[in-house]
């Protein structure tokens, strides 16, 4: 498999999960401004949506959308506790978290990357995300990870988007359980390895 990624973006979450699962993969960096890959390809020809993450499967197909890629990876791997099995309410709880992170937090923070965003709109997004963080905090006050006792793919995704707060001067101190959670996940060997690999 090949993971098309850009540093400091949402593609970090499938990157972490590939490493957590010890799956073989190749990393291909994308320049999100020029839409060229480091190996000289037109990224729009690979993913016409023009954004990372994109996963090239062994059979040649391209899979996009972070939550779909994360679920694909756990289903491809040997049985893992990164996600509950496909049957049972817990699998839907996981999808509930992935949708929440994707539509409420990822999509809530992403507009702040746009320097042209008017201050009023910025304030609205910041306020909305803060309310979502309040909810996450209420959960993490009672359990170490989103799904309970063990780290999973939803945590890889939340860790990734929480990392963007440092670009927007959103201090996590206001949500102490979430702040500790972010630090704890950052210590995982797979997370450290993914961050190091994306540095270059
Ligand atoms: N709906 C996509 C959004 C992916 C996305 O937001 N990618 C960003 C980085 S986090 C990107 O590559 N943006 C570049 C662009 O839109 O030109 C998903 O959930 O995976």
């Amino acid at each position: 498999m090949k993971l098309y990624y850009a540093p400091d973006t949402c593609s970090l979450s499938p990157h972490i999960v590939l490493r957590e699962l010890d799956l073989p993969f190749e990393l291909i960096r994308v320049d999100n401004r020029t839409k060229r890959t480091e190996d000289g390809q037109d990224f729009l020809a690979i993913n016409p949506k023009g954004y990372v993450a994109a996963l090239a499967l062994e059979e040649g197909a391209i899979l996009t959308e972070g939550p779909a890629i994360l679920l694909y990876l756990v289903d491809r791997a040997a049985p893992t506790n990164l996600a509950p099995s496909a049957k049972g309410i817990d699998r839907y709880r996981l999808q509930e978290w992935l949708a929440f992170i994707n539509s409420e937090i990822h999509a809530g923070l992403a507009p702040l990357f746009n320097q042209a965003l008017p201050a009023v709109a910025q304030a609205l997004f910041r306020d909305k995300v803060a309310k979502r963080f309040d909810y996450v905090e209420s959960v993490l006050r009672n359990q170490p990870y989103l799904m309970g006792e063990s780290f999973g793919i939803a945590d890889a995704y939340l860790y990734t988007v929480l990392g963007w707060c440092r670009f927007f001067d959103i201090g996590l101190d206001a949500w102490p359980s979430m702040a500790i959670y972010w630090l704890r996940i950052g210590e995982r060997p797979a997370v450290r390895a993914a961050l190091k690999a994306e540095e270059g």
Side-chain angles (χ1 to χ4, degrees):
M1 287 181 285
K2 291 180 189 170
L3 177 68
Y4 292 89
Y5 83 101
D8 295 324
T9 74
C10 51
S11 52
L12 177 63
S13 56
H15 184 182
I16 290 170
V17 168
L18 279 159
R19 289 179 187 273
E20 290 278 354
L21 294 170
D22 209 15
L23 288 168
F25 68 99
E26 191 185 332
L27 267 184
I28 303 195
R29 188 171 173 139
V30 176
D31 183 328
N32 249 340
R33 273 168 302 172
T34 61
K35 305 298 173 198
R36 304 291 303 179
T37 67
E38 64 183 332
D39 56 358
Q41 300 175 80
D42 172 9
F43 183 57
L44 290 171
I46 295 162
N47 177 14
K49 292 172 180 169
Y51 50 66
V52 295
L55 186 72
L57 311 184
E58 270 146 20
E59 59 272 24
I62 298 287
L63 186 63
T64 62
E65 302 303 322
I69 295 174
L70 294 174
L71 288 168
Y72 174 83
L73 292 176
V74 284
D75 287 346
R76 257 203 65 124
T80 164
N81 59 2
L82 290 194
S85 75
K87 295 190 187 125
I89 184 67
D90 281 352
R91 183 67 166 215
Y92 301 99
R93 284 276 169 251
L94 172 61
Q95 289 183 332
E96 191 177 23
W97 273 120
L98 293 174
F100 177 82
I101 299 163
N102 191 239
S103 62
E104 302 296 325
I105 301 182
H106 178 165
L109 286 172
L112 302 178
F113 280 110
N114 185 342
Q115 309 272 319
L117 192 72
V120 177
Q122 272 211 34
L124 289 172
F125 279 112
R126 283 173 183 275
D127 190 48
K128 178 177 162 176
V129 164
K131 289 193 174 76
R132 304 304 179 252
F133 286 177
D134 289 345
Y135 173 69
V136 172
E137 175 70 14
S138 74
V139 172
L140 293 176
R141 212 174 278 141
N142 300 311
Q143 59 192 51
Y145 297 102
L146 295 178
M147 292 290 294
E149 294 305 311
S150 65
F151 173 87
I153 59 174
D155 301 299
Y157 192 13
L158 182 58
Y159 170 82
T160 296
V161 292
L162 288 180
W164 299 344
C165 289
R166 69 192 193 279
F167 302 130
F168 312 131
D169 276 336
I170 300 176
L172 294 187
D173 309 357
W175 301 277
S177 305
M178 202 173 72
I180 291 166
Y181 163 89
W182 189 75
L183 291 173
R184 190 185 322 124
I185 293 175
E187 292 301 315
R188 296 179 72 82
V191 174
R192 293 168 77 114
L195 289 169
K196 190 164 173 41
E198 294 195 5
E199 256 171 24

